[in-house]
Amino acid sequence: METRTMKGAVLPGNSTVELKVFEIPRPGYAQVLIKTKATTICGSDIRCIYREHVGKGPEAYIPGMIAGHEPCGQIVEEGEGLRRFKKGDRVIVYHISGCGVCNDCRRGQSQMNLQNVRNFSSHPRYGTTGMERDRYWISAKRAFRI
């Protein structure tokens, strides 16, 4: 039987970082599971680590969340309904998610949609928590083949 656990870097909100064990997620419809090859720690992560930043909006951290975004990796599992990618594809992940319906989003410029922009990789409502872990799932529309 395959072990379905992985490690992730957690920001507990007390100026430290902890490695914890999590269950490896399974991708849903039109999602992919990516094995992390590289990721970054952004200024918002640094604020959370050293200043207990909990913020509001796109930078709202919940103590105990996994850190990091702006990742790249390799697809290791595909959800149903996936057409653009296959297992083994190398991808980068765009971590900003707009509303999908405004003019900016329809032009492919969701980062310009300041009222509805979301840092999806750092909040469970918007896809998944951070990317400082062995594997993560995302909506395939946020992945780009490299």
Side-chain angles (χ1 to χ4, degrees):
M1 179 188 262
E2 178 187 0
T3 303
R4 298 271 316 168
T5 60
M6 63 180 177
K7 289 184 181 178
V10 173
L11 305 177
N14 62 359
S15 299
T16 64
V17 177
E18 298 175 1
L19 280 179
K20 292 194 173 184
V21 175
F22 296 90
E23 184 176 329
I24 294 174
R26 295 195 186 273
Y29 186 84
Q31 296 173 344
V32 292
L33 181 67
I34 298 173
K35 181 178 181 179
T36 306
K37 296 293 185 175
T39 185
T40 62
I41 291 185
C42 162
S44 57
D45 296 314
I46 299 298
R47 285 191 297 278
C48 185
I49 294 166
Y50 294 111
R51 297 189 184 103
E52 299 182 26
H53 176 74
V54 291
K56 290 189 165 95
E59 291 187 353
Y61 276 86
I62 298 167
M65 287 184 60
I66 298 173
H69 46 268
E70 299 154 355
C72 67
Q74 191 166 21
I75 295 175
V76 293
E77 196 174 332
E78 311 156 30
E80 291 182 42
L82 195 63
R83 295 186 188 140
R84 275 184 26 200
F85 300 106
K86 63 184 181 318
K87 188 174 177 177
D89 283 348
R90 296 181 322 148
V91 295
I92 59 171
V93 176
Y94 188 54
H95 65 284
I96 301 293
S97 177
C99 67
V101 296
C102 72
N103 287 333
D104 291 325
C105 288
R106 288 187 311 207
R107 286 193 311 256
Q109 298 177 338
S110 60
Q111 76 281 3
M112 301 303 290
N113 179 354
L114 300 179
Q115 290 182 333
N116 295 309
V117 70
R118 300 175 181 107
N119 182 344
F120 89 93
S121 63
S122 296
H123 201 290
R125 275 192 313 227
Y126 307 136
T128 183
T129 60
M131 306 305 184
E132 294 289 334
R133 56 172 141 180
D134 298 337
R135 289 174 171 74
Y136 53 92
W137 63 265
I138 60 152
S139 168
K141 70 181 180 179
R142 297 288 168 232
F144 299 88
R145 190 175 288 110
I146 54 175

